[in-house]
Every structure is written in C-alpha cells, then in structure tokens.
Amino acid sequence: MNKLRSLLKLRRRPRLSAMDGFQKLLTLLLIVLSVFMLLPIVYIVGHAFKPYHELFLYPPTFFVQEPSLQNVNELLAVTARSTVPMIRYLFNSVFVSALAVLLVTGVSALCAFPLSKHRFPGAGFVFAAILLTLMFAPEVVQIPRYLVVSEIGIMNTYFAHLLPLMAMPIGVFLLKQFVDQIPDSLLEAARIDGASEFVVFLRIVVPVCMPAIATVAILAFQNSWGNIETSALFMLDDEMKSFAFFLSTLTNNLANNVAMQGAAAVASLIMFVPNLIVFVILQSKVIATMAHSGIK
C-alpha cells in the first residue's frame, strides 16, 4: 500500500528535473505571457471600482489605489430613475442570448452536415456564397435586414432580436470542417443498421463536432450579448430592448465627458463578466477545436 502511494505521488509530481534548458525557458516564457494576458482583466475589474479622482488621473494608474463602491451606487441610481427596470433589460439579454446560442449552433450544424456529407448539386456554390458573406461589413446589410424584419411583421418582438443573429457563416465554416473529417464509412454503417439521417446526425455527427459546437456557442453568445443593433433598429418599446443597449445610452447625449463615467466603468465590467464565464466553462472545447483536425 505504501509503495502504491509513493508511486502515485511520484506520478503527480511535476517533472521539472526531466526538462532541458530550452523547455524550462519556454515554460517560463508561457507563464510570463499568461500573466501579461491577464492584465486587461485586472484593469477592467479595478477600473470599475476607481473613484472619480482616479478615473481621470494623469498619467493613469493601472491598479486601483482607493477601491470604492461609488460607481456601483451611481449605476444603481441611474437605473432607479429609468422608466423601465434594469432587471427587464437584463432579462431580455439573457433570454435572447440563450436562445441565440441554441438556434445558431443548431442551424449551423444542420447546415454544415448536408453541405459536407450530402453532395447535392450546387453544394459548392452554396458553401462559397456562405463564405462570401464573411466579406460584407455589418453596415452593408442593415437596410436589407430592416426591410426583411419589417415585411414579415416581427418588429418589436423577440423574433426580431433572434432572426438577424441566426445566420453565422463562421459557424457553418467551422462545423463543416469538422464534419468533413468524419469517415463516410462510419455514416454508411449506421445507415445500414437502420439509423435515419436524424439519428446519424444526432448520435454520430453532433458528438464528434462538440468542440466546434462549443466554439460556435461562444461566438454566438458574444455576438448576442453585446448586440445593440437589433434594439436600436427593430425595437420600438424600451421594455423590449437589451441590457447592452441600455448601458450604451449611459454616456450618450451628455454635455461633458466626465459625468456618468463611473457608471459606464461598472457597466463595462457587467458586460465583460458573462463573456468570461462562458469562455472559462467552454475553453477546453475551444482548445480541442484548434488542436484536433478530425478523427484519428
């Protein structure tokens, strides 16, 4: 028993002694880079709790010296004066973002599967057209989007939040690259055993593509959570607008650049934290997306 414990301890112990000089130098460099990449997060958090005399200090300080809840109180005071409760804006953003993640990942996967494994006439042209849309700036499609949403009669509804976000060309591209790596023989074997196309998609394609699906989910969440376009163009009532749009109005139309900057700093932190949480939860899948090129 003691021998087994000693073997387990030896197995868990980092093998620093087995590293050569180059590996140790590379490990140290990666640690330094990791700390450097964490600095923006530290700055955003500290900036939200800086009092006003630190917010406008020159030269600016990286770390907060006198942490204060003054900015949080200012944001709460602003939301208390709003005609629509802040919780309503927050509910809209959470609800729309959750549905957007489900719809975007589902539509992208259902689009990638036939483009990759059902070689119908014109599949190459359709995929090329999807990739071509990546070249368009968002401003180019604002007017067509508005006309579509207006003509089908979904203005001022949650569908108007979701419809412009459902088509994500980069999601289709990532998922198609993963589906391309699935052997056709594996899918044919499932069909011979009596599996329908939906079962093949759900039981074989989706599990293999989970790393790419997680990556698409992160991109969809970021795109939806910080989106203000649908609220500005398609929502007529304030209670249908998103939390991001509400926070973007804090410093608009002010007579100076000093007022409400504390509330804006806290708002930036609020917008950042959900993105960080989603990425931390799914980051292992994102790494797998970059590391794996298909089934070995």
Side-chain angles (χ1 to χ4, degrees):
M1 190 68 180
N2 294 330
K3 186 177 180 179
L4 179 60
R5 289 178 180 176
S6 61
L7 288 174
L8 290 175
K9 290 181 180 179
L10 182 62
R11 193 174 181 181
R12 295 175 183 174
R13 188 179 303 163
R15 297 183 178 180
L16 293 177
S17 59
M19 294 183 180
D20 56 21
F22 176 76
Q23 289 176 327
K24 292 180 180 179
L25 180 62
L26 185 61
T27 302
L28 179 61
L29 178 61
L30 291 176
I31 293 174
V32 173
L33 288 177
S34 300
V35 173
F36 181 76
M37 294 176 68
L38 286 175
L39 291 179
I41 300 177
V42 175
Y43 180 80
I44 291 175
V45 175
H47 193 70
F49 297 98
K50 287 181 179 179
Y52 264 81
H53 67 273
E54 287 190 41
L55 285 174
F56 297 96
L57 190 65
Y58 185 84
T61 57
F62 192 88
F63 299 100
V64 56
Q65 299 174 0
E66 301 176 9
S68 173
L69 295 177
Q70 174 186 353
N71 299 335
V72 178
N73 295 330
E74 183 180 23
L75 178 61
L76 293 176
V78 173
T79 56
R81 296 194 299 266
S82 176
T83 55
V84 178
M86 184 178 67
I87 193 66
R88 174 67 182 188
Y89 295 113
L90 191 59
F91 169 79
N92 292 340
S93 289
V94 172
F95 180 72
V96 170
S97 298
L99 284 181
V101 169
L102 294 176
L103 291 175
V104 169
T105 53
V107 169
S108 299
L110 289 171
C111 182
F113 179 48
L115 285 175
S116 176
K117 297 303 180 182
H118 295 75
R119 296 173 179 86
F120 55 90
F125 174 78
V126 173
F127 185 62
I130 292 174
L131 295 182
L132 184 63
T133 59
L134 293 172
M135 302 176 60
F136 295 153
E139 293 78 12
V140 175
V141 296
Q142 280 185 353
I143 294 178
R145 279 180 178 175
Y146 181 84
L147 294 176
V148 170
V149 172
S150 177
E151 288 297 325
I152 62 179
I154 59 173
M155 294 285 288
N156 206 40
T157 65
Y158 287 116
F159 294 106
H161 277 297
L162 294 169
L163 184 62
L165 304 176
M166 286 176 58
M168 181 180 287
I170 188 63
V172 177
F173 173 77
L174 286 175
L175 286 167
K176 183 181 180 299
Q177 302 310 110
F178 258 68
V179 179
D180 285 343
Q181 303 300 322
I182 302 177
D184 293 338
S185 58
L186 179 63
L187 303 182
E188 288 299 328
R191 295 188 182 104
I192 292 174
D193 288 340
S196 63
E197 286 300 312
F198 180 75
V199 173
V200 170
F201 171 77
L202 197 62
R203 296 290 183 87
I204 299 177
V205 175
V206 171
V208 172
C209 295
M210 279 307 297
I213 289 175
T215 304
V216 174
I218 292 175
L219 296 176
F221 180 83
Q222 291 178 341
N223 189 32
S224 175
W225 180 254
N227 182 272
I228 63 174
E229 176 187 337
T230 55
S231 296
L233 298 179
F234 310 137
M235 300 300 128
L236 306 178
D237 300 331
D238 286 342
E239 58 266 20
M240 291 300 299
K241 296 182 178 180
S242 66
F243 189 63
F245 178 84
F246 168 70
L247 296 182
S248 69
T249 62
L250 291 177
T251 57
N252 290 347
N253 302 322
L254 295 179
N256 57 71
N257 295 325
V258 177
M260 305 297 297
Q261 290 301 321
V266 178
S268 300
L269 177 62
I270 295 175
M271 292 300 300
F272 170 75
V273 168
N275 287 313
L276 178 63
I277 293 174
V278 171
F279 179 79
V280 169
I281 293 174
L282 301 176
Q283 57 87 22
S284 62
K285 297 294 184 180
V286 177
I287 295 174
T289 304
M290 307 306 172
H292 298 288
S293 58
I295 298 178
K296 304 299 182 185

